[in-house]
Structure formats: structure tokens, C-alpha cells
Amino acid sequence: MGNAVTPGVSVPSWTGVALSVVLVALTAGLAYHQHLGLTRPLLIASARAGVQLVGVGVPHQRPALRTALLPAIDSTKVVGLISSTAR
């Protein structure tokens, strides 16, 4: 039961995650080079998205963790809290 994932849900591999990080880095580098003023907001948005995905994904992949956390903390409220802190 180590890697229990909901059937039919596509979960990216670590290679896919690494390629996503590389694409964000390339985009940030291009924005910086072109002096567009988008580098910082792009990196902040990417980091927040990563935190949200981990915050929702980990409890859903780990049934024991979900059982322990979800009665106290609803994962959708965690994502809402993170989203509401945006400026």
C-alpha cells in the first residue's frame, strides 16, 4: 500500500516535475533578460502552486496521513488559506 494513488488519476513522474521546474526557470530567465518585471511574480506564483499541490497531494497519497490530518485540517481550506495570502 506504499504508493496508493487514486485509480485513473495521472500523477507526474519526478522527470516531469524536473522539466516543469526547468521551464519555469527558463521563462524567469527570459523575463529577467528582457527586463519585463515579471521574474519575481513568476517565481512566487510557481512556488505557491508547488506548495498547494504538495499540500493537497500528500494527504491524498498517504491514507494514514489523511486520516490523521483531515479531521483537523481540511485540505481545501489549506489551499484557500494559501491562495488568500496573495497580494
CSV table of all heavy atoms in Angstrom, one decimal, residues 1-45:
chain,number,residue,atom,x,y,z
A,1,MET,N,0.8,-1.2,0.0
A,1,MET,CA,0.0,0.0,0.0
A,1,MET,C,0.9,1.3,0.0
A,1,MET,O,0.4,2.3,0.2
A,1,MET,CB,-0.9,0.0,1.2
A,1,MET,CG,-1.9,1.0,1.3
A,1,MET,SD,-3.4,0.4,2.1
A,1,MET,CE,-4.6,1.1,1.1
A,2,GLY,N,2.1,1.1,-0.2
A,2,GLY,CA,3.1,2.2,-0.2
A,2,GLY,C,2.8,3.4,-1.1
A,2,GLY,O,2.8,4.5,-0.6
A,3,ASN,N,2.5,3.2,-2.3
A,3,ASN,CA,2.2,4.3,-3.2
A,3,ASN,C,0.7,4.2,-3.7
A,3,ASN,O,0.5,4.1,-4.9
A,3,ASN,CB,3.1,4.2,-4.5
A,3,ASN,CG,4.5,4.7,-4.1
A,3,ASN,OD1,4.7,5.5,-3.2
A,3,ASN,ND2,5.5,4.2,-4.8
A,4,ALA,N,-0.2,4.2,-2.8
A,4,ALA,CA,-1.6,4.2,-3.1
A,4,ALA,C,-2.0,5.5,-3.8
A,4,ALA,O,-1.8,6.6,-3.2
A,4,ALA,CB,-2.4,3.9,-1.9
A,5,VAL,N,-2.5,5.4,-5.0
A,5,VAL,CA,-2.9,6.6,-5.7
A,5,VAL,C,-4.3,6.3,-6.3
A,5,VAL,O,-4.6,5.1,-6.6
A,5,VAL,CB,-2.0,6.9,-6.9
A,5,VAL,CG1,-2.4,8.1,-7.7
A,5,VAL,CG2,-0.6,7.2,-6.4
A,6,THR,N,-5.2,7.3,-6.3
A,6,THR,CA,-6.5,7.1,-6.8
A,6,THR,C,-6.4,6.5,-8.3
A,6,THR,O,-5.7,7.1,-9.1
A,6,THR,CB,-7.3,8.4,-6.8
A,6,THR,OG1,-7.2,8.9,-5.5
A,6,THR,CG2,-8.7,8.2,-7.2
A,7,PRO,N,-7.1,5.4,-8.6
A,7,PRO,CA,-7.1,4.9,-9.9
A,7,PRO,C,-7.6,5.9,-10.9
A,7,PRO,O,-8.6,6.6,-10.7
A,7,PRO,CB,-8.0,3.7,-9.8
A,7,PRO,CG,-8.2,3.4,-8.4
A,7,PRO,CD,-7.9,4.7,-7.7
A,8,GLY,N,-7.0,6.0,-12.1
A,8,GLY,CA,-7.4,6.9,-13.2
A,8,GLY,C,-6.8,8.3,-13.0
A,8,GLY,O,-7.1,9.1,-13.9
A,9,VAL,N,-6.1,8.6,-12.0
A,9,VAL,CA,-5.5,9.9,-11.8
A,9,VAL,C,-4.1,9.9,-12.3
A,9,VAL,O,-3.3,9.0,-11.9
A,9,VAL,CB,-5.6,10.4,-10.3
A,9,VAL,CG1,-4.9,11.7,-10.2
A,9,VAL,CG2,-7.0,10.4,-9.8
A,10,SER,N,-3.8,10.8,-13.2
A,10,SER,CA,-2.4,10.9,-13.7
A,10,SER,C,-1.5,11.7,-12.8
A,10,SER,O,-1.8,12.8,-12.5
A,10,SER,CB,-2.5,11.6,-15.1
A,10,SER,OG,-1.2,11.7,-15.6
A,11,VAL,N,-0.5,11.0,-12.3
A,11,VAL,CA,0.5,11.6,-11.4
A,11,VAL,C,1.8,11.8,-12.2
A,11,VAL,O,2.3,10.8,-12.7
A,11,VAL,CB,0.7,10.7,-10.1
A,11,VAL,CG1,1.7,11.4,-9.2
A,11,VAL,CG2,-0.7,10.6,-9.4
A,12,PRO,N,2.3,13.0,-12.2
A,12,PRO,CA,3.6,13.1,-13.0
A,12,PRO,C,4.8,12.5,-12.3
A,12,PRO,O,4.8,12.3,-11.1
A,12,PRO,CB,3.8,14.7,-13.0
A,12,PRO,CG,3.0,15.2,-11.8
A,12,PRO,CD,1.9,14.2,-11.6
A,13,SER,N,5.7,12.0,-13.1
A,13,SER,CA,6.9,11.4,-12.6
A,13,SER,C,7.9,12.6,-12.1
A,13,SER,O,7.6,13.7,-12.3
A,13,SER,CB,7.6,10.6,-13.7
A,13,SER,OG,8.1,11.5,-14.7
A,14,TRP,N,8.9,12.2,-11.4
A,14,TRP,CA,9.9,13.2,-11.0
A,14,TRP,C,10.6,13.8,-12.2
A,14,TRP,O,11.0,15.0,-12.1
A,14,TRP,CB,10.9,12.6,-10.1
A,14,TRP,CG,10.4,12.3,-8.7
A,14,TRP,CD1,10.1,11.1,-8.1
A,14,TRP,CD2,10.0,13.3,-7.8
A,14,TRP,NE1,9.6,11.3,-6.9
A,14,TRP,CE2,9.5,12.6,-6.6
A,14,TRP,CE3,10.0,14.7,-7.7
A,14,TRP,CZ2,9.0,13.3,-5.5
A,14,TRP,CZ3,9.5,15.3,-6.6
A,14,TRP,CH2,9.1,14.6,-5.5
A,15,THR,N,10.7,13.1,-13.3
A,15,THR,CA,11.2,13.7,-14.5
A,15,THR,C,10.3,14.8,-15.0
A,15,THR,O,10.8,15.9,-15.4
A,15,THR,CB,11.4,12.6,-15.6
A,15,THR,OG1,12.2,11.6,-15.1
A,15,THR,CG2,12.0,13.2,-16.9
A,16,GLY,N,9.0,14.6,-15.0
A,16,GLY,CA,8.0,15.6,-15.4
A,16,GLY,C,8.1,16.8,-14.5
A,16,GLY,O,8.0,18.0,-14.9
A,17,VAL,N,8.3,16.6,-13.2
A,17,VAL,CA,8.4,17.7,-12.2
A,17,VAL,C,9.6,18.5,-12.5
A,17,VAL,O,9.6,19.7,-12.5
A,17,VAL,CB,8.4,17.2,-10.8
A,17,VAL,CG1,8.7,18.3,-9.8
A,17,VAL,CG2,7.0,16.5,-10.4
A,18,ALA,N,10.8,17.8,-12.8
A,18,ALA,CA,12.0,18.5,-13.0
A,18,ALA,C,11.9,19.3,-14.3
A,18,ALA,O,12.4,20.4,-14.4
A,18,ALA,CB,13.2,17.5,-13.1
A,19,LEU,N,11.3,18.8,-15.3
A,19,LEU,CA,11.1,19.5,-16.6
A,19,LEU,C,10.2,20.7,-16.4
A,19,LEU,O,10.5,21.8,-17.0
A,19,LEU,CB,10.5,18.6,-17.7
A,19,LEU,CG,11.4,17.6,-18.2
A,19,LEU,CD1,10.7,16.6,-19.2
A,19,LEU,CD2,12.6,18.2,-19.0
A,20,SER,N,9.2,20.7,-15.5
A,20,SER,CA,8.4,21.8,-15.2
A,20,SER,C,9.2,22.9,-14.6
A,20,SER,O,9.1,24.1,-14.9
A,20,SER,CB,7.2,21.4,-14.3
A,20,SER,OG,6.4,20.5,-15.0
A,21,VAL,N,10.1,22.5,-13.6
A,21,VAL,CA,11.0,23.5,-12.9
A,21,VAL,C,11.9,24.1,-13.9
A,21,VAL,O,12.1,25.3,-13.9
A,21,VAL,CB,11.7,22.8,-11.8
A,21,VAL,CG1,12.8,23.7,-11.2
A,21,VAL,CG2,10.8,22.3,-10.7
A,22,VAL,N,12.4,23.3,-14.9
A,22,VAL,CA,13.4,23.9,-15.9
A,22,VAL,C,12.6,24.9,-16.8
A,22,VAL,O,13.2,26.0,-17.1
A,22,VAL,CB,14.0,22.7,-16.7
A,22,VAL,CG1,14.7,23.3,-18.0
A,22,VAL,CG2,14.9,21.9,-15.9
A,23,LEU,N,11.4,24.6,-17.1
A,23,LEU,CA,10.6,25.5,-18.0
A,23,LEU,C,10.3,26.8,-17.2
A,23,LEU,O,10.4,27.9,-17.8
A,23,LEU,CB,9.3,24.9,-18.5
A,23,LEU,CG,9.5,23.8,-19.5
A,23,LEU,CD1,8.2,23.1,-19.8
A,23,LEU,CD2,10.1,24.4,-20.8
A,24,VAL,N,10.0,26.7,-16.0
A,24,VAL,CA,9.8,27.9,-15.2
A,24,VAL,C,11.1,28.7,-15.1
A,24,VAL,O,11.1,30.0,-15.2
A,24,VAL,CB,9.2,27.6,-13.8
A,24,VAL,CG1,9.2,28.8,-12.9
A,24,VAL,CG2,7.8,27.0,-13.9
A,25,ALA,N,12.2,28.1,-14.8
A,25,ALA,CA,13.5,28.7,-14.8
A,25,ALA,C,13.8,29.4,-16.1
A,25,ALA,O,14.3,30.6,-16.1
A,25,ALA,CB,14.6,27.8,-14.3
A,26,LEU,N,13.6,28.8,-17.2
A,26,LEU,CA,13.9,29.4,-18.5
A,26,LEU,C,13.0,30.6,-18.7
A,26,LEU,O,13.4,31.6,-19.2
A,26,LEU,CB,13.6,28.3,-19.6
A,26,LEU,CG,14.7,27.3,-19.8
A,26,LEU,CD1,14.2,26.2,-20.8
A,26,LEU,CD2,16.0,27.9,-20.2
A,27,THR,N,11.7,30.5,-18.4
A,27,THR,CA,10.8,31.6,-18.5
A,27,THR,C,11.2,32.8,-17.6
A,27,THR,O,11.2,33.9,-18.1
A,27,THR,CB,9.4,31.2,-18.2
A,27,THR,OG1,9.0,30.1,-19.0
A,27,THR,CG2,8.4,32.3,-18.4
A,28,ALA,N,11.6,32.5,-16.4
A,28,ALA,CA,12.1,33.5,-15.5
A,28,ALA,C,13.3,34.2,-16.0
A,28,ALA,O,13.5,35.4,-15.9
A,28,ALA,CB,12.3,33.0,-14.1
A,29,GLY,N,14.2,33.4,-16.5
A,29,GLY,CA,15.5,33.9,-17.1
A,29,GLY,C,15.2,34.8,-18.3
A,29,GLY,O,15.8,35.9,-18.4
A,30,LEU,N,14.3,34.4,-19.1
A,30,LEU,CA,13.9,35.2,-20.3
A,30,LEU,C,13.3,36.5,-19.8
A,30,LEU,O,13.6,37.6,-20.4
A,30,LEU,CB,13.0,34.4,-21.2
A,30,LEU,CG,12.6,35.1,-22.5
A,30,LEU,CD1,13.8,35.4,-23.4
A,30,LEU,CD2,11.6,34.3,-23.2
A,31,ALA,N,12.4,36.4,-18.9
A,31,ALA,CA,11.7,37.6,-18.4
A,31,ALA,C,12.7,38.6,-17.7
A,31,ALA,O,12.7,39.8,-17.9
A,31,ALA,CB,10.6,37.3,-17.3
A,32,TYR,N,13.7,38.0,-17.0
A,32,TYR,CA,14.8,38.9,-16.4
A,32,TYR,C,15.6,39.5,-17.5
A,32,TYR,O,15.9,40.7,-17.4
A,32,TYR,CB,15.6,38.0,-15.5
A,32,TYR,CG,16.7,38.8,-14.9
A,32,TYR,CD1,16.5,39.6,-13.8
A,32,TYR,CD2,18.1,38.7,-15.3
A,32,TYR,CE1,17.5,40.3,-13.2
A,32,TYR,CE2,19.1,39.4,-14.7
A,32,TYR,CZ,18.8,40.2,-13.7
A,32,TYR,OH,19.9,40.9,-13.1
A,33,HIS,N,16.0,38.7,-18.5
A,33,HIS,CA,16.9,39.3,-19.6
A,33,HIS,C,16.2,40.4,-20.4
A,33,HIS,O,16.8,41.3,-20.8
A,33,HIS,CB,17.3,38.1,-20.5
A,33,HIS,CG,18.1,38.5,-21.6
A,33,HIS,ND1,19.1,39.5,-21.6
A,33,HIS,CD2,18.2,38.0,-22.9
A,33,HIS,CE1,19.7,39.6,-22.7
A,33,HIS,NE2,19.2,38.7,-23.6
A,34,GLN,N,14.9,40.2,-20.5
A,34,GLN,CA,14.1,41.2,-21.3
A,34,GLN,C,13.6,42.4,-20.5
A,34,GLN,O,13.0,43.3,-21.0
A,34,GLN,CB,12.9,40.5,-21.9
A,34,GLN,CG,13.2,39.4,-22.8
A,34,GLN,CD,13.3,39.8,-24.3
A,34,GLN,OE1,12.7,40.8,-24.7
A,34,GLN,NE2,14.1,39.1,-25.0
A,35,HIS,N,14.0,42.4,-19.2
A,35,HIS,CA,13.6,43.5,-18.2
A,35,HIS,C,12.1,43.7,-18.2
A,35,HIS,O,11.6,44.8,-18.3
A,35,HIS,CB,14.3,44.8,-18.6
A,35,HIS,CG,15.8,44.7,-18.5
A,35,HIS,ND1,16.5,44.5,-17.4
A,35,HIS,CD2,16.7,44.6,-19.6
A,35,HIS,CE1,17.8,44.5,-17.7
A,35,HIS,NE2,17.9,44.5,-19.0
A,36,LEU,N,11.3,42.6,-18.2
A,36,LEU,CA,9.9,42.7,-18.2
A,36,LEU,C,9.3,42.9,-16.8
A,36,LEU,O,8.1,43.3,-16.7
A,36,LEU,CB,9.3,41.4,-18.8
A,36,LEU,CG,9.7,41.0,-20.2
A,36,LEU,CD1,9.1,39.7,-20.6
A,36,LEU,CD2,9.3,42.1,-21.2
A,37,GLY,N,10.0,42.8,-15.8
A,37,GLY,CA,9.5,43.0,-14.4
A,37,GLY,C,8.6,41.8,-14.0
A,37,GLY,O,7.8,42.0,-13.1
A,38,LEU,N,8.7,40.7,-14.6
A,38,LEU,CA,7.8,39.6,-14.3
A,38,LEU,C,8.5,38.4,-13.5
A,38,LEU,O,7.9,37.5,-13.1
A,38,LEU,CB,7.2,39.0,-15.5
A,38,LEU,CG,6.3,39.9,-16.3
A,38,LEU,CD1,5.9,39.2,-17.7
A,38,LEU,CD2,5.1,40.3,-15.5
A,39,THR,N,9.8,38.6,-13.3
A,39,THR,CA,10.6,37.4,-12.8
A,39,THR,C,10.1,37.1,-11.3
A,39,THR,O,9.8,35.9,-11.1
A,39,THR,CB,12.1,37.8,-12.8
A,39,THR,OG1,12.5,38.2,-14.1
A,39,THR,CG2,12.9,36.6,-12.3
A,40,ARG,N,10.1,38.1,-10.5
A,40,ARG,CA,9.7,37.8,-9.1
A,40,ARG,C,8.3,37.3,-9.0
A,40,ARG,O,8.0,36.3,-8.3
A,40,ARG,CB,9.9,39.1,-8.2
A,40,ARG,CG,9.6,38.8,-6.8
A,40,ARG,CD,10.0,40.0,-5.9
A,40,ARG,NE,9.7,39.6,-4.5
A,40,ARG,CZ,9.4,40.5,-3.6
A,40,ARG,NH1,9.4,41.8,-3.9
A,40,ARG,NH2,9.2,40.1,-2.4
A,41,PRO,N,7.3,37.9,-9.6
A,41,PRO,CA,5.9,37.4,-9.5
A,41,PRO,C,5.8,36.0,-10.1
A,41,PRO,O,5.1,35.1,-9.6
A,41,PRO,CB,5.1,38.4,-10.3
A,41,PRO,CG,5.8,39.6,-10.4
A,41,PRO,CD,7.3,39.2,-10.3
A,42,LEU,N,6.5,35.7,-11.2
A,42,LEU,CA,6.5,34.4,-11.8
A,42,LEU,C,7.1,33.3,-10.8
A,42,LEU,O,6.5,32.2,-10.6
A,42,LEU,CB,7.3,34.3,-13.1
A,42,LEU,CG,7.5,33.0,-13.8
A,42,LEU,CD1,6.1,32.5,-14.3
A,42,LEU,CD2,8.5,33.1,-14.9
A,43,LEU,N,8.2,33.6,-10.2
A,43,LEU,CA,8.8,32.7,-9.2
A,43,LEU,C,7.9,32.5,-8.0
A,43,LEU,O,7.8,31.4,-7.5
A,43,LEU,CB,10.2,33.1,-8.8
A,43,LEU,CG,11.2,33.1,-10.0
A,43,LEU,CD1,12.5,33.7,-9.5
A,43,LEU,CD2,11.4,31.7,-10.5
A,44,ILE,N,7.3,33.6,-7.5
A,44,ILE,CA,6.4,33.5,-6.3
A,44,ILE,C,5.2,32.6,-6.7
A,44,ILE,O,4.8,31.7,-5.9
A,44,ILE,CB,6.0,34.9,-5.8
A,44,ILE,CG1,7.2,35.5,-5.2
A,44,ILE,CG2,4.9,34.8,-4.8
A,44,ILE,CD1,7.0,37.0,-4.9
A,45,ALA,N,4.6,32.9,-7.8
A,45,ALA,CA,3.4,32.1,-8.2
A,45,ALA,C,3.8,30.6,-8.4
A,45,ALA,O,3.0,29.8,-8.0
A,45,ALA,CB,2.8,32.7,-9.5
